[in-house]
Amino acid sequence: TIVVNYPSTSAVPQPPTGPTEPAAPSTSSGSSSSHSPTPPPVIKPKTLDVALSIDDSALSSQDIMTSLTSETGLNTQINITYNPKTASKAARSLVFKVNALSDAVRINFPMTALQAGMTLKVITPIGSYNVPITALRLGSVHLGIRETDSKNIQIEVLIKKLDESSLQKYANDKTVFPIPVVDFRMTASNGKNIVLLDNFMRYVERIVELPTGIEKEKLTAVAIIKKGDTLLPVPFRLENSEGKQVVAIARVSKDLYALFTTQKIAPQLENHWSKPAMSKMIDSMVIPEFNGEAGSPAHILTRGEFAETALRAMGIDSDVPYKNAFVDVNSNYEYSGAIQVLYDLGIVQGTGDGQFSPYDPVTREAAIRILMRLAAYYDLMAVLPKKNKWLADFVDGDDVSDWAKEDVLSAVDFEIVIGDGQGNLAPKGNLVLAEAAQMLKNILKKSGLSS
């Protein structure tokens, strides 16, 4: 642990204890017409407990500088600068651990401190960040700052606690916001331009401590997007860390994050085989709340509806401009953004002749293909446990279309789909909402993105 002691001559700003008023003008006695300003309060030395390690080996205090600042609207912020004196050998992890309490932690270090295959971990009382370096788009093309020398690029990580008042418009008698909103942010800079690292190639985890007394079965994690106007469900899992219950939120984009508890009532799900999966997806805002046929477990999903549902379950924002990817989808179509996202990722190519057929029912094999290709794109396949299942194990395994066989086989092997209980996959049958909910729940759980 590197403990930084401020000398007694250094004034370290402290968090305000409450509202303050402007000081009254000072008055002087005697014949002097001038008066001295009121001296600043004496600030006691401050100790910050900050640990920095590479592969569990603590680094020298010569490599790190810390300070504590106070800003308007932000009580206290811990600032950490890491300047490695020598190039480190191949390492698996770079870990910053801050034990001191504050409202924000800001860390700066050169991009050369990051290595391929490494995981960057920032651990603070506010929240923690686990970032696989392979998830970052650090090439000069992605950074867009025209910098060929990586030594000149600085990385900044910010973890900041925000006021949760921005969420109150979503609150109701079934919704409670048990923790503050947390902003997790990374940027890259060459000294002139700053680029926000807001899109990742793999899922990145943000971890926050769960307060005691929370009904975990009602918990939902959300990203706050579009300047606070929209809540997007994000995958999360519960786990224990150093004797504390924490929530690991996984997403491939940068946003503000919060947790809340809610439980919607879907009486028509009683005694239905899909109740656990459907209830979870309804509570998590992935699928519509029970309101007529659209929320029924027997509702046949269209291709457009499944595109949107799959992205929401995976925590991927679909609110993007439509660029005319298909001739039969226009920008006014409700799910055009979802279709554009899947097209841009190379997940879908359409049904032929430049069409997507958004209003047609989605078949099981088409839905499986979309889901498994999403998992492959974000590198989830490596963590899925195989069960050595084969299409030949099913009565109608030969009915799977050639273009879908590889993805359906993966879904069977990982038990994302298990058939109808009678040995059938019915790959060309229409997918209903109950089946979609179960597939989505299975892949989130088996990949470790969700509890």
Side-chain angles (χ1 to χ4, degrees), residues 295-374:
S296 166
H299 172 70
I300 298 175
L301 287 165
T302 66
R303 289 170 54 83
E305 288 172 340
F306 182 77
E308 174 70 19
T309 302
L311 290 182
R312 288 183 66 82
M314 305 291 278
I316 301 172
D317 185 12
S318 64
D319 189 5
V320 302
Y322 183 63
K323 304 173 185 176
N324 299 317
F326 298 99
V327 297
D328 60 343
V329 178
N330 61 58
S331 59
N332 295 324
Y333 177 55
E334 184 176 5
Y335 307 120
S336 62
I339 294 170
Q340 186 67 53
V341 169
L342 292 178
Y343 179 81
D344 289 343
L345 296 178
I347 306 300
V348 297
Q349 288 80 40
T351 55
D353 296 327
Q355 301 186 56
F356 184 77
S357 308
Y359 298 101
D360 288 356
V362 64
T363 62
R364 293 185 182 90
E365 62 183 8
I368 290 171
R369 179 175 172 82
I370 290 173
L371 193 57
M372 300 310 294
R373 287 172 67 87
L374 269 175

Side-chain angles (χ1 to χ4, degrees), residues 126-189:
I126 307 168
S128 301
Y129 221 170
N130 287 347
V131 185
I133 302 309
T134 54
L136 298 177
R137 301 173 184 269
L138 292 179
S140 59
V141 173
H142 290 113
L143 292 181
I145 56 180
R146 300 183 181 277
E147 185 60 69
T148 57
D149 188 353
S150 60
K151 294 180 181 179
N152 296 329
I153 298 179
Q154 287 288 121
I155 301 294
E156 180 176 281
V157 178
L158 175 66
I159 300 178
K160 182 168 61 174
K161 180 170 56 178
L162 301 178
D163 185 356
E164 65 183 59
S165 60
S166 60
L167 289 181
Q168 292 308 309
K169 62 183 175 181
Y170 301 102
N172 54 50
D173 59 344
K174 296 179 183 178
T175 304
V176 179
F177 300 99
I179 68 167
V181 181
V182 180
D183 185 7
F184 293 87
R185 186 180 306 177
M186 290 187 69
T187 59
S189 171

Side-chain angles (χ1 to χ4, degrees), residues 11 91 112 133 194 208 211 276 278 345 367 418 425 448:
T112 52
I133 302 309
I194 299 176
V208 293
M278 282 283 291
L345 296 178
I418 58 174
L425 284 173

Side-chain angles (χ1 to χ4, degrees), residues 49-368:
D49 188 359
V50 178
L52 175 60
S53 63
I54 291 182
D55 286 351
D56 300 325
S57 298
L59 299 185
S60 167
S61 59
Q62 297 179 351
D63 290 339
I64 187 170
M65 296 174 58
T66 67
S67 65
L68 186 70
T69 60
S70 179
E71 298 179 0
T72 302
L74 189 67
N75 288 337
T76 56
Q77 176 174 289
I78 294 174
N79 305 292
I80 302 170
T81 300
Y82 169 47
N83 285 311
K85 304 301 182 184
T86 59
S88 58
K89 298 179 181 179
R92 299 183 307 277
S93 64
L94 173 62
V95 182
F96 295 86
K97 186 173 183 180
V98 179
N99 295 316
L101 298 176
S102 68
D103 296 288
V105 173
R106 188 185 300 272
I107 300 174
N108 285 277
F109 53 88
M111 192 173 78
T112 52
L114 303 177
Q115 303 173 12
M118 175 186 282
T119 296
L120 170 66
K121 298 182 179 182
V122 179
I123 304 170
T124 81
I126 307 168
S128 301
Y129 221 170
N130 287 347
V131 185
I133 302 309
T134 54
L136 298 177
R137 301 173 184 269
L138 292 179
S140 59
V141 173
H142 290 113
L143 292 181
I145 56 180
R146 300 183 181 277
E147 185 60 69
T148 57
D149 188 353
S150 60
K151 294 180 181 179
N152 296 329
I153 298 179
Q154 287 288 121
I155 301 294
E156 180 176 281
V157 178
L158 175 66
I159 300 178
K160 182 168 61 174
K161 180 170 56 178
L162 301 178
D163 185 356
E164 65 183 59
S165 60
S166 60
L167 289 181
Q168 292 308 309
K169 62 183 175 181
Y170 301 102
N172 54 50
D173 59 344
K174 296 179 183 178
T175 304
V176 179
F177 300 99
I179 68 167
V181 181
V182 180
D183 185 7
F184 293 87
R185 186 180 306 177
M186 290 187 69
T187 59
S189 171
N190 65 349
K192 298 179 181 179
N193 301 310
I194 299 176
V195 177
L196 181 64
L197 303 178
D198 58 350
N199 284 292
F200 305 112
M201 300 175 68
R202 295 178 58 187
Y203 279 85
V204 170
E205 287 188 341
R206 297 88 170 164
I207 300 173
V208 293
E209 184 177 348
L210 184 65
T212 58
I214 298 299
E215 297 182 80
K216 295 188 288 292
E217 67 277 3
K218 298 181 182 180
L219 197 64
T220 294
V222 295
I224 308 165
I225 61 176
K226 309 307 175 191
K227 297 181 180 180
D229 292 335
T230 306
L231 298 184
L232 178 71
V234 291
F236 71 96
R237 70 175 187 276
L238 301 173
E239 58 186 33
N240 290 309
S241 176
E242 299 181 353
K244 299 177 181 179
Q245 186 92 65
V246 300
V247 180
I249 301 170
R251 192 155 184 254
V252 295
S253 301
K254 177 266 164 208
D255 279 298
L256 308 181
Y257 296 91
L259 301 176
F260 66 87
T261 56
T262 182
Q263 188 172 36
K264 300 180 175 66
I265 305 300
Q268 296 183 51
L269 289 178
E270 289 298 329
N271 302 319
H272 196 277
W273 66 266
S274 68
K275 180 180 178 180
M278 282 283 291
S279 297
K280 179 63 178 175
M281 294 300 161
I282 290 173
D283 287 346
S284 300
M285 303 185 300
V286 172
I287 59 178
E289 186 174 354
F290 239 103
N291 184 19
E293 181 64 22
S296 166
H299 172 70
I300 298 175
L301 287 165
T302 66
R303 289 170 54 83
E305 288 172 340
F306 182 77
E308 174 70 19
T309 302
L311 290 182
R312 288 183 66 82
M314 305 291 278
I316 301 172
D317 185 12
S318 64
D319 189 5
V320 302
Y322 183 63
K323 304 173 185 176
N324 299 317
F326 298 99
V327 297
D328 60 343
V329 178
N330 61 58
S331 59
N332 295 324
Y333 177 55
E334 184 176 5
Y335 307 120
S336 62
I339 294 170
Q340 186 67 53
V341 169
L342 292 178
Y343 179 81
D344 289 343
L345 296 178
I347 306 300
V348 297
Q349 288 80 40
T351 55
D353 296 327
Q355 301 186 56
F356 184 77
S357 308
Y359 298 101
D360 288 356
V362 64
T363 62
R364 293 185 182 90
E365 62 183 8
I368 290 171

